[in-house]
Amino acid sequence: MQQLRTAGEPDNALVRAFPTWLGDRARPSLAAMPEGRLAPASPFSVTVAGQAVTIPYRIYHDEPPESTVRTLAATEATVLHCLYTRHSDGRIRQRHVEQVVGSSEPWAVPFVVQLVGEYVVEILETIARDLPHLTEAGSAHQRSYGEFVAGNASFFARTERRAVSYWSRYHRRRYPAFSDYPACRLLESLRAAAADRAGLVLPRHTPGP
């Protein structure tokens, strides 16, 4: 039988992935997660709405039963799906990012942006397909993503470099030009959102559109 944490026993490494102002809304999500086989690995830090958070690069928790997920309120479920976008299994990351990209909550944004710099092209295609409002002027998605990228310029630059590296290593045969690679289009949309929301023209670390 899978052992679940109680709301009074959160995994601190996962709590730190969300701003403190999210408060206790994250606790039922953490309580629903089976114990991880390994500790969360290689955390990275970003700023969300002015507050530093530390998000694990990978987690190793089995998925909770769907019946458990259905008991969570909408915000709690989104928190859970955000965490599973960090799973070590790419298929699990893809299933859960499908549930996150529709959210314009500022604390959900870094989980999606991080995936733009990773190597699973099917996840990139999912994000590109399900994040249509990113380029819509004045939309909630453009605002949230633009403000996040503008406030985390070094993280965005690192994401660009990683996307180029994975494209060159794994996907260059399928996409001879980086401009045809799904991550390129997403990075350009994120760059444009930052310019529109904050008037910030970020230096480019990719071969260009």
Side-chain angles (χ1 to χ4, degrees), residues 167-168 170-176:
W167 161 72
S168 181
Y170 296 114
H171 303 298
R172 201 162 193 161
R173 178 170 297 191
R174 181 177 175 184
Y175 303 99

Side-chain angles (χ1 to χ4, degrees), residues 137-139 141-147 150 192-200:
S139 71
H141 281 88
Q142 188 196 56
R143 180 174 63 252
S144 293
Y145 280 83
E147 291 174 357
D196 288 343
R197 295 306 307 173
L200 183 63

Side-chain angles (χ1 to χ4, degrees), residues 15-152:
V15 169
R16 290 192 292 271
F18 300 95
T20 56
W21 46 259
L22 194 58
D24 290 338
R25 302 302 299 275
R27 293 180 181 273
S29 312
L30 303 184
M33 297 173 65
E35 292 289 343
R37 299 185 303 279
L38 298 169
S42 304
F44 59 92
S45 296
V46 292
T47 300
V48 173
Q51 184 173 132
V53 299
T54 304
I55 298 173
Y57 180 70
R58 289 288 180 261
I59 66 169
Y60 303 91
H61 301 251
D62 290 338
E63 293 175 285
E66 184 58 34
S67 57
T68 299
V69 178
R70 286 197 297 267
T71 67
L72 299 174
T75 297
E76 297 162 358
T78 302
V79 167
L80 183 83
H81 292 307
C82 284
L83 290 170
Y84 278 95
T85 68
R86 304 287 76 238
H87 199 274
S88 58
D89 186 320
R91 291 167 297 183
I92 292 176
R93 294 199 297 277
Q94 182 173 357
R95 279 202 296 274
H96 289 276
V97 77
E98 289 173 351
Q99 305 302 317
V100 173
V101 293
S103 174
S104 59
E105 292 286 358
W107 45 265
V109 169
F111 292 89
V112 178
V113 175
Q114 169 66 20
L115 288 166
V116 176
E118 295 188 11
Y119 59 89
V120 181
V121 73
E122 291 82 4
I123 293 178
L124 298 173
E125 292 169 343
T126 294
I127 297 171
R129 181 192 69 220
D130 293 343
L131 197 58
H133 301 299
L134 181 58
T135 57
E136 183 180 311
S139 71
H141 281 88
Q142 188 196 56
R143 180 174 63 252
S144 293
Y145 280 83
E147 291 174 357
F148 173 77
V149 170
N152 292 274

